[in-house]
Amino acid sequence: MVRFQNVGMRYGLGPEVLRDLTFDLPAGSFHFLTGPSGAGKSTLLKLLYLAHRPSRGLITMFDQNVAAVPRNRLPGLRRRIGVVFQEFRLLDHLSALDNVALPLRIAGANRKQAEDHVRELLAWVGLSDRMNAKPPTLSGGEKQRVAIARAVIARPSLLLADEPTGNVDPAMGRRLMHLFVELNKIGTTLVIATHDEAMISEFRRPVLRLADGELSVEGA
Amino acid sequence: MMAFFATRTDLALDRDASGRFLPWVIAVMVFMAMLALAGAMVLQRATAGWQRGIEGHLTVQIADQAGQPMAPRLAAAVKELQLVPGVVRAVPLDRAAVELLLAPWLGRENLTSDLPLPGLIDVEVAPGGIDVAAIGARLARTVPGAVVDDPKPWLDRVLRLADLLQILAGAVVLGIGLATVFMVIFATRAGLSSHREAIEVLHLIGARDGYIAGQFQRQTLRLALAGALPAGIAAAGSLIVLGVLAAGAGRGLLPTIGFGPLAWLALAALPVIAIVIATLSARFTVLGYLREML
Ligand SMILES: Nc1ncnc2c1ncn2[C@@H]1O[C@H](COP(=O)(O)OP(=O)(O)O)[C@@H](O)[C@H]1O
Ligand SMILES: [Mg+2]
């Protein structure tokens, strides 16, 4: 599904934030991505959701060399990737419902069917009564759940989540983790960035550990 | 159409500042362009009319001379003119016709019957021209006080001026078109940078450039319609009122302001063209901007 070979990444002319990353994410795998703040977790995820190109090295995703994919075929790849951004990145003037429906709308889905599907998912994450609220009126935990719903609504084959349980209480955090586990069971490949060691040890999945821009893989 | 207007945009474009000023700018542009085009068309018709009326005609004028009756002198001049090769017809105008010509300038009441008026002869010449100076010399010998009036040099000057004015009107319409394009590009660029964050999110969840451009395009179409349609109606109304006023002011002096179906079609095309170029400018501005993003 994903293969990194000697990938390096720097912002502008700054220092290399990621150095010589080489790893594989087999289809259907479930990895945690951890490391101290500033280690480069978000940067690695940006490479995975095609928001940045690496400064060097080779990234292969869905059997394609990402650097060689022409611009007009990037949207097709991105639709197979669901992302929960660390800062959510919801569109403030759209309701929770419309935010979650966005990936379906963009892919040209039938409006009515999309809406039913979105309502069901929002109910599942406990937001039945907040569907028409706009993000600025939502709490951090509510925004996080809207962001997760938007990431999974279109059934991506690769799901990336940047600290997705950082703003919810432990009970909701566990509920969301079980959602991820269920998605993984139906074949979704997952990478979840977190620095919650308790969760990592509870769910016992292989860990990509970043320190000083270098990566080690544990428990594969 | 209704669904189209009801479509909510993913980007909050309806709150942009351009929503307030773009319709006004486009309205002013469309109004001015339509008046400039109308002016050019009125001028075109007027000069064509003058040309048709004047070409192939000379006027001979016989000044009134105290103590000499006009009728025999007119008759002598007509007889002489008919001998000149190239003259097809020479017709003296009677006093009533001369009074009619002078009425717009002097008013009918001021034309008392004892007012001395010049004698006029309308001369039709064969196509290909004629030596005006030679006729003049020949006439002056037979009928003292007769002068040949050749309107051609005057007509040529008027036509040159009219051509220049039409080129100017064309330049005005073109300039207005360019200004509209630049305004739309400017407004669209402002919109793009204020919505950059949301655009990036749309990209990352798989939106194609065309999807994002479509949102700007629809918004610009709405704003352009809101400006161009009322402006088009206002310009058409103004032209109709101007036409009525010009007709009332006297036919001889002002060219008639009236348009045939083709001319109205050309005028109606201007708001449509403005809407199309505004919309396309928005689209291509967005596509160009997005190509710079990953
Ligand atoms: N847009 C950016 N421009 C420049 N430097 C950045 C940018 N984003 C992150 N960085 C730097 O890259 C390093 C890794 O950041 P990040 O990937 O956000 O780490 P993490 O998510 O593990 O906390 C940090 O030193 C951070 O300052
Ligand atoms: Mg981070």
Side-chain angles (χ1 to χ4, degrees):
Chain A
M1 168 80 46
V2 176
R3 164 168 289 173
F4 273 45
Q5 288 165 278
N6 305 313
V7 170
M9 166 73 201
R10 61 170 87 234
Y11 289 100
L13 298 172
E16 262 196 333
V17 174
L18 300 174
R19 281 192 302 275
D20 262 336
L21 265 52
T22 298
F23 63 89
D24 267 296
L25 302 178
S29 62
F30 183 152
H31 287 79
F32 285 115
L33 170 62
T34 192
S37 183
K41 302 182 292 295
S42 297
T43 302
L44 174 50
L45 291 179
K46 282 180 198 165
L47 291 177
L48 285 168
Y49 58 72
L50 308 173
H52 272 292
R53 293 201 186 274
S55 325
R56 61 191 177 87
L58 181 65
I59 300 179
T60 311
M61 292 176 75
F62 307 106
D63 301 316
Q64 296 170 68
N65 170 8
V66 168
V69 173
R71 217 181 151 274
N72 64 359
R73 291 202 17 240
L74 287 176
L77 289 188
R78 286 178 174 140
R79 287 178 194 181
R80 300 162 73 177
I81 305 170
V83 190
V84 183
F85 300 99
Q86 189 167 10
E87 16 9 303
F88 317 130
R89 306 185 77 166
L90 302 173
L91 302 190
D92 282 347
H93 67 288
L94 295 184
S95 64
L97 189 92
D98 285 329
N99 264 287
V100 176
L102 211 47
L104 298 175
R105 287 248 304 277
I106 281 173
N110 171 293
R111 207 183 177 92
K112 178 77 185 76
Q113 279 175 5
E115 200 166 297
D116 292 345
H117 192 27
V118 170
R119 284 180 193 284
E120 199 179 315
L121 182 58
L122 279 174
W124 200 89
V125 296
L127 289 175
S128 308
D129 51 341
R130 305 294 280 146
M131 292 200 194
N132 295 313
K134 308 234 161 126
T137 68
L138 297 174
S139 72
E142 287 170 334
K143 282 188 222 175
Q144 191 145 47
R145 283 177 278 159
V146 173
I148 290 171
R150 185 179 68 184
V152 305
I153 189 75
R155 296 270 170 83
S157 47
L158 174 62
L159 179 61
L160 309 167
D162 203 346
E163 320 241 4
T165 56
N167 288 279
V168 292
D169 61 70
M172 180 52 78
R174 188 157 292 113
R175 188 171 162 83
L176 293 175
M177 279 306 296
H178 282 292
L179 167 63
F180 293 143
V181 168
E182 290 305 314
L183 287 169
N184 180 236
K185 278 187 189 154
I186 60 170
T188 312
T189 308
L190 274 98
V191 178
I192 296 180
T194 179
H195 47 233
D196 183 347
E197 293 289 342
M199 193 165 73
I200 293 173
S201 51
E202 181 183 342
F203 284 86
R204 300 166 164 277
R205 302 287 171 165
V207 176
L208 306 167
R209 191 174 296 277
L210 273 173
D212 261 341
E214 304 202 17
L215 185 87
S216 53
V217 186
E218 301 165 6
Chain B
M1 200 66 177
M2 284 322 289
F4 160 78
F5 277 106
T7 301
R8 192 182 37 244
T9 54
D10 300 337
L11 303 169
L13 299 176
D14 45 348
R15 290 180 212 161
D16 287 358
S18 61
R20 284 194 293 278
F21 78 82
L22 212 51
W24 285 103
V25 171
I26 289 179
V28 171
M29 299 291 190
V30 164
F31 190 84
M32 292 195 308
M34 284 176 73
L35 289 197
L37 177 62
M41 290 192 305
V42 166
L43 203 58
Q44 171 65 41
R45 254 178 46 150
T47 53
W50 293 333
Q51 205 163 2
R52 242 180 292 116
I54 284 172
E55 245 169 17
H57 287 267
L58 300 174
T59 306
V60 171
Q61 214 182 112
I62 302 171
D64 181 74
Q65 283 179 354
Q68 295 192 36
M70 182 58 77
R73 299 171 68 209
L74 267 179
V78 167
K79 212 173 141 203
E80 183 68 29
L81 282 166
Q82 277 163 348
L83 298 176
V84 176
V87 168
V88 179
R89 241 150 38 96
V91 182
L93 303 189
D94 57 22
R95 186 174 167 99
V98 176
E99 278 180 7
L100 199 64
L101 282 175
L102 288 174
W105 312 97
L106 299 180
R108 244 172 227 291
E109 315 79 61
N110 295 331
L111 291 170
T112 51
S113 57
D114 54 345
L115 185 76
L117 292 180
L120 294 181
I121 304 169
D122 181 36
V123 183
E124 198 179 314
V125 298
I130 195 164
D131 187 346
V132 176
I135 303 177
R138 187 166 171 176
L139 259 186
R141 255 180 277 121
T142 333
V143 185
V147 184
V148 181
D149 195 5
D150 181 8
K152 186 133 178 49
W154 171 82
L155 180 66
D156 286 345
R157 273 199 305 281
V158 169
L159 289 181
R160 256 202 311 281
L161 183 66
D163 281 348
L164 206 67
L165 285 174
Q166 279 172 2
I167 290 171
L168 212 62
V172 165
V173 173
L174 203 71
I176 286 171
L178 281 178
T180 306
V181 169
F182 286 131
M183 285 308 305
V184 171
I185 290 176
F186 170 78
T188 306
R189 289 206 147 260
L192 282 164
S193 61
S194 69
H195 297 288
R196 191 184 170 95
E197 163 70 20
I199 290 169
E200 210 172 287
V201 171
L202 290 181
H203 255 165
L204 291 177
I205 60 183
R208 295 185 184 284
D209 291 355
Y211 180 89
I212 296 167
Q215 309 229 339
F216 279 89
Q217 203 180 328
R218 273 194 296 280
Q219 173 68 2
T220 307
L221 176 57
R222 272 187 214 111
L223 299 178
L225 278 170
L229 290 190
I233 290 166
S238 308
L239 289 173
I240 290 169
V241 169
L242 274 179
V244 171
L245 292 180
R251 292 201 168 270
L253 285 183
L254 290 175
T256 50
I257 303 179
F259 304 102
L262 262 177
W264 278 117
L265 206 66
L267 287 169
L270 283 181
V272 176
I273 291 171
I275 290 167
V276 169
I277 63 174
T279 309
L280 288 181
S281 304
R283 179 175 185 83
F284 288 113
T285 306
V286 176
L287 290 178
Y289 178 92
L290 293 182
R291 258 194 297 278
E292 316 273 294
M293 294 173 83
L294 181 61

